[in-house]
Amino acid sequence: MSKKDIDWSNIGFGYIVTDKRYVSEYKDGKWDDGILTEDDKIVLSECAGVLQYSQSIFEGLKAYTTEDGHVVTFRPNLNASRMVDSALRMEMPPFPEERFLDSIEKVVRANLDYVPPYGSGATLYIRPYMFGKNAVIGVKPADEYQYRVFVTPVGPYFKGGAKPIVVKISDFDRAAPRDTGNIKAGLNYAMSLHAIVTAHKEGFAENVYLDAATRTYIEETGGANIIFVDADGNLVVPKSHSDSILPSITRRSIVEVAKTYLGLKVDERYVTLDEIGAFKEMGLCGTAAVISPVGKVNDHGREICFESGMEEMGPVTKKLYDTLTGIQMGHIEAPKGWIHVIE
Ligand SMILES: *Cc1c(COP(=O)(O)O)cnc(C)c1O
């Protein structure tokens, strides 16, 4: 094995084609055995269900090299079960969880030369996804599906330290109450593109979405859940009235780390926009960045500034970040089952 000649610390968050990917086809009511292939192209009917009615779901996780040289993934069983939930909600045949785990291992093993070395800050991003494949013109679920996994090396999310970002309260909604906000479906992102382009044009890094029904409560951003630290130094995690927040694995892990490693009180509750000015720290959490600190929220010109400021992560956020990344990288003992060793 020899690592690819890649400048690991200077690659961005883009797509780089790798050697092998996994493909399994669903037809006549069952999944085939699946293969690893070098073919990175998909040939589809012009009328494929995914092209006409957006029947597609995905997952995102990463493989990385720990300090002692193992290649591991973080809690991939939770991605497997979340993808089953997404499939059921989208009337797609779930890909069996044990096969999901096996397919990820196969693709990572087949692309080991693309797993960034320890200390580079880069990781191998893993993208499992599934879509309706056969021709569908009347509105209904497809009968045939394709499940695929590819991997692509991605650069360190934060170059030169995690600088706090400024986010805005969006005038758009991300997910209707009791709709698809709690599953990982491409359609949730398609509808968010206009909102994120608008926010970027205005100079904001992300949109904070409120609950669509009352526009009172904080839900999440376009691709990350939100955490706050209150005046007593405890963790406050927004809950959704209408189950429209995506159940982030990073956020669920942060909650466990806060309780069991840092002894913090964790309040998972409804959080109103009106009260966030009283919080000391805010962060966005997801697989890519783990935690991105937020320095300021802009609510239609009114600035809500957190005590942690615009220079660095707040102290509690930093502790959470260091502990969780320490667990991931193998400096801190992980809870049972969190680190899945591939090599
Ligand atoms: C994927 C995703 C997240 C983050 O989830 P992780 O499991 O932590 O990566 C948060 N919000 C949305 C809308 C997402 O799609």
Side-chain angles (χ1 to χ4, degrees):
M1 169 182 127
S2 69
K3 290 282 176 201
K4 298 286 168 176
D5 186 18
I6 294 174
D7 182 5
W8 301 108
S9 351
N10 284 306
I11 47 175
F13 203 96
Y15 170 72
I16 297 171
V17 64
T18 53
D19 294 343
K20 298 274 179 71
R21 64 278 303 127
Y22 181 88
V23 183
S24 181
E25 305 277 359
Y26 182 89
K27 202 174 171 177
D28 301 326
K30 56 180 193 298
W31 288 104
D32 72 7
D33 290 341
I35 52 159
L36 277 175
T37 171
E38 284 177 8
D39 191 357
D40 62 338
K41 299 290 187 291
I42 300 170
V43 178
L44 278 179
S45 160
E46 64 184 355
C47 194
V50 62
L51 299 179
Q52 303 310 322
Y53 303 123
S54 299
Q55 201 185 11
S56 80
I57 56 174
F58 67 99
E59 271 301 324
L61 66 163
K62 54 198 190 186
Y64 51 93
T65 310
T66 56
E67 192 167 17
D68 57 2
H70 288 297
V71 173
V72 306
T73 54
F74 183 71
R75 309 186 80 180
N77 54 310
L78 298 185
N79 297 94
S81 66
R82 189 168 66 187
M83 196 163 186
V84 169
D85 295 341
S86 299
L88 294 172
R89 176 64 176 80
M90 293 291 282
E91 288 295 333
M92 301 164 96
F95 196 68
E97 293 182 40
E98 64 286 356
R99 286 200 56 196
F100 176 100
L101 296 171
D102 179 59
S103 66
I104 279 169
E105 282 201 14
K106 284 196 165 90
V107 181
V108 173
R109 280 218 181 91
N111 294 286
L112 276 180
D113 296 350
Y114 291 93
V115 183
Y118 172 76
S120 64
T123 57
L124 188 72
Y125 187 74
I126 308 171
R127 170 53 58 90
Y129 61 114
M130 188 200 292
F131 53 88
K133 202 183 164 193
N134 61 297
V136 173
I137 193 73
V139 177
K140 61 173 187 190
D143 307 306
E144 295 171 14
Y145 294 86
Q146 190 170 103
Y147 167 86
R148 293 179 80 96
V149 183
F150 69 78
V151 293
T152 191
V154 292
Y157 204 82
F158 298 125
K159 273 192 199 148
K163 282 275 178 196
I165 55 173
V166 183
V167 299
K168 71 169 282 187
I169 301 295
S170 184
D171 288 321
F172 299 100
D173 295 320
R174 190 188 80 90
R178 299 167 296 279
D179 205 332
T180 53
N182 61 350
I183 60 161
K184 234 170 155 66
L187 57 88
N188 291 328
Y189 282 80
M191 59 187 276
S192 77
L193 295 175
H194 179 58
I196 193 65
V197 169
T198 305
H200 286 166
K201 272 187 199 148
E202 295 168 352
F204 301 107
E206 257 294 359
N207 282 301
V208 169
Y209 293 102
L210 302 176
D211 76 294
T214 70
R215 300 194 59 80
T216 307
Y217 298 97
I218 300 288
E219 291 239 309
E220 64 169 316
T221 66
N225 282 183
I226 299 174
I227 55 170
F228 295 102
V229 176
D230 71 13
D232 299 321
N234 293 313
L235 192 67
V236 178
V237 180
K239 210 161 92 169
S240 176
H241 269 287
S242 51
D243 200 17
S244 44
I245 295 178
L246 193 282
S248 157
I249 293 162
T250 313
R251 183 253 300 164
R252 287 182 272 164
S253 304
I254 288 169
V255 165
E256 292 188 51
V257 163
K259 286 181 188 163
T260 59
Y261 286 72
L262 303 179
L264 301 183
K265 231 186 83 204
V266 180
D267 215 359
E268 296 189 70
R269 63 169 173 85
Y270 307 124
V271 173
T272 64
L273 169 60
D274 285 346
E275 71 173 302
I276 67 173
F279 293 142
K280 284 187 152 167
E281 300 174 33
M282 173 174 174
L284 311 183
C285 52
T287 292
V290 185
I291 308 177
S292 317
V294 175
K296 249 189 244 178
V297 177
N298 190 299
D299 174 22
H300 302 89
R302 179 175 71 102
E303 287 199 326
I304 303 164
C305 303
F306 297 103
E307 199 177 280
S308 48
M310 288 304 298
E311 284 308 311
E312 53 192 18
M313 272 195 191
V316 178
T317 306
K318 178 97 170 64
K319 256 189 224 159
L320 287 165
Y321 179 87
D322 288 346
T323 311
L324 183 54
T325 53
I327 289 169
Q328 291 178 332
M329 287 300 163
H331 314 146
I332 299 174
E333 193 177 339
K336 201 169 167 319
W338 278 26
I339 305 296
H340 180 78
V341 179
I342 292 181
E343 272 290 320

